[in-house]
Amino acid sequence: MSIVVVGSVFYDTIETPHGRAERQLGGSATHFALAASFFAPVRMVAAVGDDFGADALAVHRARGVDLEGVQRRAGTTGRWTGRYHEDMNVRDTLDLDLGVFADFQPELPPSYRTAEYLFLGNIDPTLQENVLEQLARPAVVAADTMNHWIDNARPALEKLLRRVQILLINDEEARLLSGEHNLVRAARRILGMGPSSVLIKRGEYGVIHFSGDSVFAVPAFPLEDVFDPTGAGDAFAGGFLGSLARAGALGERNVRQAIVYGSVMGSFIVEDFGFERLSRLEAEDVERRYRQFLALTEVA
Ligand code: AMP
């Protein structure tokens, strides 16, 4: 089963307690696509400017990601600058310039329209809905968002949520979206907005999945050094949806397995700046860490 992803392709400037990286290729679609490519065929939708390096997505191409839906447009590629605190669960956006995304009107290649899985990566919710409308009959629609859109595009986001099955969101954003501080209450509120399932990402504390009466939690992989958390949410989403697409159905066991694979991909991306670590990753590394994850909570 193939996955279409729409999301940002940005140049990031990142400051962490470990150092600073400039003009690092990032964005929600970039990180998602690379992580998901370990599991299923991925087709990417995004806009880049005329300053975009000719071979900037070479790693993606080498992993078989379909880049036909990545449009090159006159203008500059979007840029984001973020700074992490000593507690790397906390980050501030210092600067955001959407560049060519500001007036992007995606036109999906015909081969994309029959995809069964859709990931609406963090980007303007109006744009997310525009892409959703171009798919013939997606079986699974998952979405992510960010405080920027909750603050600045809430009506469009609420409209979109009515058509989304799975929402992936971090704890701070879940509180902002729901108006509830307690995460169980926040999840209930969000489930009332449309999605049948919500996954709350809690950085180094792992993720909690809420759906109907079921709650499932997975810790983050205990790492000695978290180098750069940027993209952890998108890599998680890539592993999660990729694993679901590989399984080909949504049953409880597949969803739980997908949450562990998502956690595996999130744990790799934070080990280096940008998607550096994913570009060196092998399929066996993914499977080995999956088994280590299961062992984390196994009682002899
Ligand atoms: P994550 O750490 O998974 O939340 O994803 C971080 C990525 O999101 C970075 O690589 C940024 O380029 C991208 N990003 C940051 N702000 C925005 C925004 N408002 N819209 C779309 N993408 C963004």
Side-chain angles (χ1 to χ4, degrees):
M1 304 258 185
S2 66
I3 308 175
V4 164
V5 51
V6 61
S8 50
V9 174
F10 282 180
Y11 281 121
D12 293 344
T13 296
I14 299 160
E15 289 174 34
T16 78
H18 298 286
R20 182 181 159 92
E22 289 200 36
R23 215 177 143 77
Q24 188 85 44
L25 183 58
S28 51
T30 310
H31 296 312
F32 175 94
L34 198 53
S37 72
F38 284 82
F39 302 87
V42 183
R43 310 185 197 291
M44 199 164 150
V45 180
V48 298
D50 40 29
D51 60 337
F52 194 71
D55 234 13
L57 289 169
V59 176
H60 292 66
R61 185 173 290 110
R63 288 213 49 86
V65 175
D66 187 335
L67 301 174
E68 198 190 338
V70 179
Q71 273 181 36
R72 187 178 285 269
R73 311 184 67 220
T76 52
T77 302
R79 282 188 295 254
W80 175 73
T81 304
R83 180 192 290 148
Y84 290 87
H85 294 207
E86 200 60 46
D87 168 2
M88 284 208 276
N89 284 326
V90 188
R91 84 172 167 210
D92 301 319
T93 289
L94 302 184
D95 193 31
L96 173 69
D97 171 2
L98 294 176
V100 290
F101 263 96
D103 57 359
F104 178 39
Q105 297 283 337
E107 177 69 32
L108 264 57
S111 61
Y112 281 38
R113 294 176 190 250
T114 51
E116 299 87 356
Y117 286 69
L118 174 62
F119 183 65
L120 302 168
N122 171 33
I123 195 67
D124 186 333
T126 307
L127 206 55
Q128 291 176 312
E129 189 160 17
N130 174 323
V131 171
L132 170 58
E133 253 146 33
Q134 293 183 52
L135 257 72
R137 220 174 305 106
V140 177
V141 180
D144 189 1
T145 191
M146 204 176 181
N147 42 10
H148 178 81
W149 306 111
I150 302 172
D151 283 333
N152 299 303
R154 186 181 275 267
L157 180 61
E158 288 184 355
K159 181 163 171 273
L160 175 79
L161 287 181
R162 294 197 277 276
R163 304 178 64 184
V164 163
Q165 278 154 283
I166 307 171
L167 181 68
L168 297 96
I169 192 166
N170 76 26
D171 42 7
E172 180 197 331
E173 294 152 358
R175 291 183 173 119
L176 186 65
L177 178 63
S178 65
E180 294 281 359
H181 187 79
N182 176 283
L183 289 181
V184 180
R185 286 175 188 275
R188 294 280 160 246
R189 265 290 162 89
I190 294 169
L191 289 173
M193 295 176 168
S196 51
S197 147
V198 59
L199 260 157
I200 301 187
K201 301 170 282 181
R202 302 171 60 231
E204 65 173 308
Y205 306 113
V207 297
I208 317 183
H209 175 251
F210 296 86
S211 180
D213 293 331
S214 140
V215 182
F216 180 61
V218 172
F221 195 70
L223 291 170
E224 214 159 294
D225 288 311
V226 172
F227 207 76
D228 168 20
T230 308
D234 304 308
F236 173 89
F240 169 73
L241 211 62
S243 169
L244 276 183
R246 184 168 73 177
L250 270 190
E252 180 78 17
R253 192 190 141 73
N254 289 346
V255 170
R256 290 184 176 212
Q257 188 173 57
I259 293 169
V260 178
Y261 274 116
S263 306
V264 166
M265 300 314 283
S267 78
F268 278 123
I269 203 169
V270 304
E271 290 182 344
D272 207 337
F273 272 116
F275 57 77
E276 202 53 45
R277 182 68 184 95
L278 294 194
S279 63
R280 303 191 305 266
L281 202 63
E282 306 281 343
E284 308 93 83
D285 302 325
V286 174
E287 295 310 321
R288 190 175 321 113
R289 191 161 288 180
Y290 179 83
R291 290 192 297 273
Q292 289 171 328
F293 253 101
L294 295 188
L296 269 182
T297 51
E298 194 177 51
V299 181

